[in-house]
Amino acid sequence: MSTDTVRTGAAAESAALRREQRGWYVYDWACSAYSTSVLTVFLGPYLTSVAEHAADGDGYVHPLGVPVRAGSFFAYSVSLSVIAAVVLMPLVGSAADRTGRKKPLLAAAAYTGAAATTGMFFLDGDRYLLGGVLLVVANAAQSVGMMLYNSYLPQIAPPEQRDAVSSRGWAFGYAAGALVLVADLVLYSAHDSFGLSETAAVRICLASAGLWWGAFALVPLRRLRDRHARVAHATAPGLRQLAATVRDMRRHPLTLAFLLAYLVYNDGIQTVITQASVYGSEELGLGQSTLIGAVLLVQVLAVAGALAMGRLARTYGAQRTILGSLVAWTLTLAAAWFLPARAPVWFFSLAVGIGLVLGGSQALSRSLFSHLVPPGKEAEYFSAYEMSDRGMSWLGPLLFGLTYQLTGSYRSAIFSLVAFFVLGFALLARVPVRRAIREAGNPVPEKI
């Protein structure tokens, strides 16, 4: 084979990878409208208000006969969605690795989640149970979809490009979230001008996120390529497959150690994302427009933060950069305890702190883990990662809900999350990532 032929083939493969990378970014663009508009901004306060409307004289609702304080129903629903995801993700991840056909599974997850989110248009009156069911379906589907999406990273980017590619993916997602939030803010703030009630405006904002998700998911589904499976193993029911994956991961204890650290600190991150609006509305007495503006600020700054931390990782390595972000998370979240009520400027200051570290800490964690995955087991291992990312992030919302149920104070609930970042820092600092990468059978980048 001539040198020119080899060069032409390499150039064609490089161009194909760039096309896949651009398509891969768009899935984050597609599903981030759900994460931002639905999970972070509108659904928490709105579902809480629906539950309060359905509550008895003591402030409790009774799903399946169980007494639940209306203010805790959203947090408990998030936790239940995580349990569903824990069952599904190992099964789907194993099937993806065994067959090499990730795209059909990604399509099923994306459109299940998009349909459930669009169905939130019908959440009205005292239909809190409908809202809980749709939240469980949409959130579990998003977790499965993101697991499959993340598992493409080792296949579409060589080791030296993964920090940058992962950071761009997060930046695309936060840019989309900001764009959709601008439209939501216009609709919500001027709902009277559009002839809509405040409730109708919120329901349209919820449903439109599902339509956005479904429409833009078409791009990655056209551009991403399925690879032939490099490993063959049978699938098992979800919890059995999870046990099999964990047993396999025991052969890579340093990979497992990273996942434990990530499980802890990301539990704190995910709980802040899902409960910040509830804290702002119920404890600080802030209006919906203020909350939308604060989350929009987070989205804009998260784009810059993800790209900036990606550059820092080139100099200091991903692990050190993530550790620095956890210190910033701890200080920012501790400051939330002292925020005065009905003072939007201080809530915006908190949003600045969160925005600057949010995207980067998530993007670099994803790219760092991609180096720790044994070749051929990307989807299976990323199912475990996604359980740490979303799937195992049930303890934070549960702790948040229980703290509020016991104390009646969202301020106490938000302060309890500091422990996740302190413990996560200690666990991550103990992981020798270079040795972990070598033991996983992957080349070690110059900066890690």
Side-chain angles (χ1 to χ4, degrees):
M1 184 179 295
S2 69
T3 302
D4 289 343
T5 301
V6 172
R7 289 175 178 172
T8 300
E13 179 61 23
S14 179
L17 282 178
R18 287 195 298 271
R19 175 181 169 82
E20 280 194 278
Q21 289 170 7
R22 289 191 290 268
W24 186 78
Y25 301 149
V26 176
Y27 189 77
D28 225 328
W29 174 277
C31 70
S32 287
Y34 166 81
S35 299
T36 303
S37 293
V38 176
L39 202 58
T40 305
V41 178
F42 286 107
L43 189 57
Y46 183 66
L47 184 54
T48 300
S49 70
V50 172
E52 289 171 345
H53 185 265
D56 60 22
D58 296 323
Y60 285 82
V61 291
H62 299 269
L64 303 178
V66 179
V68 173
R69 190 187 287 267
S72 297
F73 181 74
F74 173 69
Y76 290 157
S77 297
V78 172
S79 292
L80 183 59
S81 73
V82 168
I83 295 172
V86 166
V87 174
L88 290 171
M89 285 192 294
L91 177 60
V92 175
S94 179
D97 283 334
R98 179 176 58 85
T99 64
R101 292 179 57 80
K102 296 179 186 178
K103 282 210 299 184
L105 296 170
L106 179 59
Y111 286 104
T112 298
T117 305
T118 304
M120 291 177 186
F121 178 80
F122 301 101
L123 175 59
D124 198 8
D126 59 358
R127 299 175 180 172
Y128 75 96
L129 276 177
L130 174 64
V133 170
L134 292 175
L135 169 59
V136 168
V137 173
N139 219 36
Q142 193 205 29
S143 294
V144 171
M146 286 300 294
M147 174 268 293
L148 294 165
Y149 163 77
N150 287 336
S151 70
Y152 275 100
L153 180 58
Q155 298 176 341
I156 65 172
E160 67 277 5
Q161 294 183 13
R162 288 183 198 166
D163 288 344
V165 170
S166 183
S167 296
R168 289 189 201 112
W170 280 109
F172 263 68
Y174 284 115
L179 181 62
V180 172
L181 269 185
V182 168
D184 289 343
L185 182 59
V186 171
L187 177 64
Y188 180 82
S189 301
H191 59 83
D192 289 333
S193 301
F194 293 102
L196 298 170
S197 66
E198 182 177 323
T199 297
V202 172
R203 289 161 52 210
I204 290 172
C205 290
L206 293 172
S208 64
L211 297 175
W212 177 282
W213 187 355
F216 284 103
L218 292 171
V219 177
L221 291 174
R222 286 181 60 86
R223 292 197 172 189
L224 291 172
R225 293 179 292 168
D226 281 332
R227 270 78 172 174
H228 293 298
R230 286 182 287 176
V231 295
H233 46 81
T235 57
L239 293 178
R240 287 174 54 196
Q241 183 57 49
L242 172 60
T245 300
V246 171
R247 283 196 299 271
D248 185 77
M249 293 182 73
R250 289 173 62 184
R251 299 190 299 109
H252 303 282
L254 297 181
T255 300
L256 202 56
F258 172 82
L259 268 182
L260 175 62
Y262 182 63
L263 183 154
V264 172
Y265 70 75
N266 192 65
D267 205 340
I269 294 175
Q270 294 302 320
T271 307
V272 172
I273 291 172
T274 60
Q275 305 301 325
S277 290
V278 176
Y279 177 67
S281 64
E282 301 297 324
E283 183 69 32
L284 303 182
L286 302 175
Q288 190 73 61
S289 296
T290 299
L291 298 177
I292 296 173
V295 175
L296 178 59
L297 180 61
V298 169
Q299 297 297 115
V300 172
L301 291 176
V303 175
L307 297 176
M309 287 182 64
R311 292 189 180 96
L312 286 174
R314 297 177 194 171
T315 302
Y316 301 104
Q319 185 182 28
R320 290 183 180 178
T321 306
I322 296 169
L323 289 171
S325 77
L326 296 182
V327 174
W329 269 111
T330 301
L331 296 175
T332 301
L333 195 58
W337 169 269
F338 300 100
L339 292 186
R342 287 174 288 280
V345 65
W346 290 107
F347 193 70
F348 282 122
S349 298
L350 181 69
V352 170
I354 292 174
L356 289 175
V357 294
L358 176 60
S361 55
Q362 293 176 314
L364 293 178
S365 296
R366 178 172 63 186
S367 61
L368 180 56
F369 181 71
S370 73
H371 295 285
L372 307 180
V373 177
K377 296 192 174 182
E378 291 84 5
E380 184 178 346
Y381 271 58
F382 266 106
S383 71
Y385 175 85
E386 189 64 22
M387 277 184 271
S388 298
D389 190 2
R390 286 174 175 81
M392 289 304 287
S393 296
W394 56 271
L395 183 58
L398 181 61
L399 176 62
F400 189 94
L402 286 174
T403 303
Y404 174 75
Q405 180 145 338
L406 294 173
T407 67
S409 169
Y410 285 106
R411 199 176 293 272
S412 298
I414 202 75
F415 186 74
S416 68
L417 303 179
V418 169
F420 289 97
F421 297 101
V422 175
L423 181 57
F425 180 98
L427 292 172
L428 179 60
R430 293 171 57 86
V431 179
V433 292
R434 287 186 173 275
R435 183 153 63 92
I437 294 170
R438 285 194 297 268
E439 292 183 1
N442 295 316
V444 181
E446 182 179 349
K447 288 290 184 180
I448 195 62

